[in-house]
Amino acid sequence: MKILWVKAGGLVPLDLGGRIRSFHIAKELARTHQVTLFTFYASEGEDLHPQLSKIFDRVECHPLRVSTRRGLGEAVQYARALLSTRPYTIAKFCKGGIARDLRKILRAGSYDVIVCDFAVAGGVIPWDFPCRKVLFTHNVEAQIWQRHYQVARNLLWKALCWREYRTMARAERLYAQCADHVMTVSPADQDFFAGVTDSRKVSVIPTGVDLDYFQPADSAGDAHRLVFTGTMDYFPNEDGIVYLIREILPLIRSRIPAVILSVVGRRPSSRLQALAAKTLGVEVTGRVEDVRPYIREAAVYVVPLRVGGGTRLKIFEAMAMGKAIVSTSIGAEGLDVRDGDDIVLADGPPAFANAVVDLLQDEARRRRIGRAAAELASRYSWPRIASRFSEILSAVVESGEPHTPPVKV
């Protein structure tokens, strides 16, 4: 097949869950198909995208002058986006020039299928172009914004979350109806999209993990150490860690005074750094080249998320390393896990704290859960996931004429 993969926000560096999932699947597809990567992203620092020409048949890079950090620059961008009916998340990246360049590539080539990677990229997809189109959703973006709205305390932020939720819900519904097929990453997400478009054209692609890179650790870890890994400028991660430090960690420390929490991931906010500086036993590393030593050293991997969607790759990475994990229900949402067997699920500060303390004090149980977790993760290699992805793309290509959008986009 000749595949045009369209990705907003860039594909590298591999420091975001969505990038990791997309990179591994697209890379595996490129072994047996012709894959053109068309990506547009914020221009900042060293651009690694040209190096992807070693992997893909063709790489079209479009760096943009957009702000990705919270502050005055992003506030100005958001104010401009209020004039649009589109979500800010889409309006920020999907400029008119990008859409025109994408059409030029489509006219010049002869592609079998377009993969719209994330709903955000839907803002530049020519949905009326005579080529099959697959919407690859890593989560339900509208649901994430709805959950932001539900937990927000600041009234302005709450209002902005409500607007983003409503506009994103309309966009996701529209793109799903225009696509020839929709791929989701969990049964819950499949149910959502099946409710807004023909359920027969919605499939599930499970989350994968790099089993060569993440391998079981030899030890059970430091019995006083917890770890969380994730992009810290992603609000659900920051919200979860602030929640953990403020409401859960004091309950753990009342029973295990020497407990240490390592927060590992790029761009921690000033709010998080200030909170960590005045909280005993909290280490915030910022970006690291390799998260594995931090996961290996910890006794328990924690996922205290209150907001999110799709599935968390970080859980499978910790599982592949044989770690005992305590997660909220939302944190483990969409994954084929078994509470008490290969993970421990706990919601609310007292329950979460109790689950962590119980594991820290019981090495035999940590090891048992860690072994079960590693066994589960072993079934989700990226080559296996990409093979399923390829099968669905092939079926879409062979299904006949491209779907005609029900409305003009």
Side-chain angles (χ1 to χ4, degrees), residues 127-203:
W127 294 102
D128 58 345
F129 194 86
C131 177
R132 292 162 186 83
K133 304 164 197 73
V134 171
L135 175 62
F136 180 24
T137 66
H138 298 239
N139 46 50
V140 179
E141 295 285 344
Q143 184 183 68
I144 294 176
W145 285 105
Q146 183 183 32
R147 288 173 173 171
H148 280 316
Y149 166 76
Q150 290 168 343
V151 302
R153 295 180 179 177
N154 180 282
L155 292 180
L156 176 59
W157 174 240
K158 201 174 187 70
L160 295 178
C161 291
W162 174 257
R163 179 191 181 275
E164 200 71 5
Y165 156 54
R166 298 300 299 171
T167 54
M168 184 61 79
R170 287 196 296 270
E172 286 183 310
R173 181 171 60 251
L174 177 61
Y175 299 154
Q177 291 170 353
C178 290
D180 294 277
H181 201 85
V182 180
M183 292 202 205
T184 67
V185 298
S186 74
D189 290 1
Q190 182 185 32
D191 289 344
F192 171 85
F193 282 101
V196 299
T197 191
D198 185 348
S199 62
R200 293 171 296 180
K201 69 173 191 178
V202 185
S203 302

Side-chain angles (χ1 to χ4, degrees), residues 53-340:
S53 59
K54 300 174 184 177
I55 297 173
F56 302 113
D57 189 59
R58 179 180 175 183
V59 177
E60 288 288 333
C61 307
H62 296 265
L64 303 170
R65 294 184 62 183
V66 296
S67 175
T68 58
R69 295 177 182 269
R70 296 175 203 166
L72 180 60
E74 187 158 38
V76 171
Q77 287 179 180
Y78 196 96
R80 290 173 180 165
L82 289 175
L83 301 175
S84 167
T85 58
R86 298 193 297 178
Y88 168 67
T89 315
I90 292 178
K92 178 168 70 171
F93 287 106
C94 296
K95 312 296 184 182
I98 300 296
R100 287 192 294 272
D101 289 346
L102 181 57
R103 275 193 179 270
K104 288 179 184 177
I105 288 176
L106 281 166
R107 290 182 183 128
S110 180
Y111 292 94
D112 296 305
V113 63
I114 302 169
V115 175
C116 175
D117 189 359
F118 271 94
V120 175
V124 300
I125 297 293
W127 294 102
D128 58 345
F129 194 86
C131 177
R132 292 162 186 83
K133 304 164 197 73
V134 171
L135 175 62
F136 180 24
T137 66
H138 298 239
N139 46 50
V140 179
E141 295 285 344
Q143 184 183 68
I144 294 176
W145 285 105
Q146 183 183 32
R147 288 173 173 171
H148 280 316
Y149 166 76
Q150 290 168 343
V151 302
R153 295 180 179 177
N154 180 282
L155 292 180
L156 176 59
W157 174 240
K158 201 174 187 70
L160 295 178
C161 291
W162 174 257
R163 179 191 181 275
E164 200 71 5
Y165 156 54
R166 298 300 299 171
T167 54
M168 184 61 79
R170 287 196 296 270
E172 286 183 310
R173 181 171 60 251
L174 177 61
Y175 299 154
Q177 291 170 353
C178 290
D180 294 277
H181 201 85
V182 180
M183 292 202 205
T184 67
V185 298
S186 74
D189 290 1
Q190 182 185 32
D191 289 344
F192 171 85
F193 282 101
V196 299
T197 191
D198 185 348
S199 62
R200 293 171 296 180
K201 69 173 191 178
V202 185
S203 302
V204 175
I205 292 293
T207 285
V209 63
D210 187 341
L211 296 174
D212 293 327
Y213 191 78
F214 294 98
Q215 298 187 355
D218 295 329
S219 73
D222 181 342
H224 297 101
R225 187 172 290 273
L226 312 175
V227 68
F228 173 88
T229 61
T231 301
M232 295 316 301
D233 59 348
Y234 180 51
F235 182 79
N237 288 342
E238 186 196 47
D239 173 77
I241 289 302
V242 170
Y243 166 64
L244 174 67
I245 294 173
R246 286 178 173 169
E247 301 188 36
I248 300 173
L249 196 60
L251 301 178
I252 297 173
R253 178 159 286 117
S254 68
R255 297 167 62 185
I256 304 180
V259 69
I260 297 172
L261 169 66
S262 294
V263 180
V264 183
R266 73 169 199 178
R267 295 182 181 175
S269 68
S270 56
R271 176 178 76 141
L272 175 57
Q273 293 184 70
L275 180 60
K278 64 182 182 182
T279 305
L280 179 66
V282 177
E283 304 171 348
V284 177
T285 68
R287 176 181 171 82
V288 299
E289 290 301 318
D290 189 348
V291 300
R292 292 173 298 178
Y294 297 91
I295 298 175
R296 189 178 297 117
E297 186 179 4
V300 175
Y301 188 99
V302 291
V303 188
L305 301 190
R306 302 188 296 172
V307 175
T311 54
R312 253 60 58 196
L313 276 75
K314 60 173 67 74
I315 287 184
F316 268 7
E317 291 171 352
M319 281 185 156
M321 293 189 68
K323 285 297 165 180
I325 301 167
V326 176
S327 174
T328 58
S329 298
I330 286 178
E333 193 174 52
L335 297 176
D336 184 25
V337 295
R338 301 176 299 275
D339 183 20

